[in-house]
Amino acid sequence: MNTRIRRSAVVLAAAAVLPFALSACGDSGSDSAKSDASTKASASASDDSMTGAGATAADQPFGTACSGVPKSGAGSFDGMAKDPVATAASNNPALSTLVAAVKKAGLVDTLNNAQGITVFAPTNDAFAKIPKATLDKVLADKAQLTKILTYHVVGQQLTPKDLEKGSFDTLEKSKLTTAGSGENYMVNDSAKVVCGNVKTANANVYIIDTVLMPTS
């Protein structure tokens, strides 16, 4: 009889202890899972933050001539982003010669209505490198002017990464090449990007210091 009582007591004690042991294991697993989830969430948030910061930095205009762009108004980076490319360029004082040439060639609507393009935009100083007699002759020849201007336009939106080593078809139907890294890029080994990755409503713009000439 005493033996039976002792066995019953042992069984009851084991039964009483078991739920607490299982509960403790369950809590530990839950805490571990929570800790893992928290760690993953923290890592994910950190990754997202880094990605967001990187994307923002990569998305900004760059180059020595960018400091000359108006800080506000239609000619600023924010202002240009709201307008199609020909209109946006017309609000940038450094591109007035290019804009005049685009108007002479009758390309304003063509450029404004195009979607997803890249424009390599020569500055006024770039046009000033061309002897006046030659420039006047080109401006007076609509066919030749159109050929030169459309050579500055690529039918896709190019990122700085695309420019590192590229060859692209232009609207003029021949190719231009790009090379470089970071904030230093050349087009056709002759024109330097002085303010790049400028956004307009329908184009990416890279302002260059030399007028590009098609080979044909």
Side-chain angles (χ1 to χ4, degrees), residues 85 107 110-111 113-122 146-159 162-163 166-178 186-188 193 200 202-206 208 212:
V85 64
L107 292 173
T110 299
L111 293 177
N113 293 329
Q115 294 300 316
I117 61 174
T118 294
V119 176
F120 293 93
T146 298
K147 185 178 181 69
I148 292 171
L149 292 176
T150 53
Y151 183 65
H152 290 73
V153 184
V154 172
Q156 58 182 300
Q157 286 186 301
L158 303 177
T159 66
D162 294 326
L163 301 189
S167 177
F168 307 101
D169 291 323
T170 69
L171 296 193
E172 184 268 334
K173 304 300 185 187
S174 59
K175 291 183 179 292
L176 59 74
T177 61
T178 60
M186 297 293 292
V187 185
N188 287 355
V193 174
T200 73
N202 67 328
N204 286 355
V205 176
Y206 293 88
I208 55 178
L212 305 173

Side-chain angles (χ1 to χ4, degrees), residues 85-133:
V85 64
T87 301
S90 71
N91 293 318
N92 187 321
L95 300 177
S96 58
T97 305
L98 172 63
V99 171
V102 167
K103 289 179 178 178
K104 275 184 174 290
L107 292 173
V108 172
D109 289 341
T110 299
L111 293 177
N112 276 349
N113 293 329
Q115 294 300 316
I117 61 174
T118 294
V119 176
F120 293 93
T123 62
N124 296 343
D125 289 342
F127 280 99
K129 292 180 182 180
I130 302 173
K132 186 177 186 305

